């Protein structure tokens, strides 16, 4: 059970931050890619946009022998 995150500026742009979060649990993990500081051109406000989220369960199978 752990969370790992990374953030940095998008190459060539000083106002666009890229965030990557990996949430690892016992039987599943989730990867979320977020781009922040995007301006809504119609209102002039900055918004946060979540681009991609990938979540899947990890299944393991093993046989016990006696």
């Amino acid at each position: 059970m752990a969370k790992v995150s990374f953030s940095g500026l998008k190459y060539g742009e000083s106002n666009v931050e890229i965030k990557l979060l990996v949430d690892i649990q016992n039987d599943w993990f989730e990867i979320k890619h977020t781009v922040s500081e995007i301006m809504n051109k119609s209102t002039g406000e900055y918004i946060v946009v979540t681009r991609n989220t990938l979540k899947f369960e990890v299944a393991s199978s093993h046989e016990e022998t006696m």
Side-chain angles (χ1 to χ4, degrees), residues 28-45:
W28 62 270
F29 68 92
E30 178 179 48
I31 302 171
K32 185 179 285 187
H33 171 252
T34 305
V35 177
S36 61
E37 308 237 330
I38 304 298
M39 182 185 282
N40 184 337
K41 291 183 180 179
S42 62
T43 64
E45 296 179 359

Side-chain angles (χ1 to χ4, degrees), residues 1-2 4-6 9-10 12 16 18 21 28-31 34 36 39 42 46 49 53 56 58 61-63 66:
M1 295 180 279
V4 179
S5 65
F6 170 80
L9 294 176
K10 184 175 179 181
V16 179
I18 305 294
L21 171 69
W28 62 270
F29 68 92
E30 178 179 48
I31 302 171
T34 305
S36 61
M39 182 185 282
S42 62
Y46 285 94
V49 178
T53 300
F56 57 92
V58 178
S61 62
H62 66 281
E63 296 181 17
M66 296 178 84

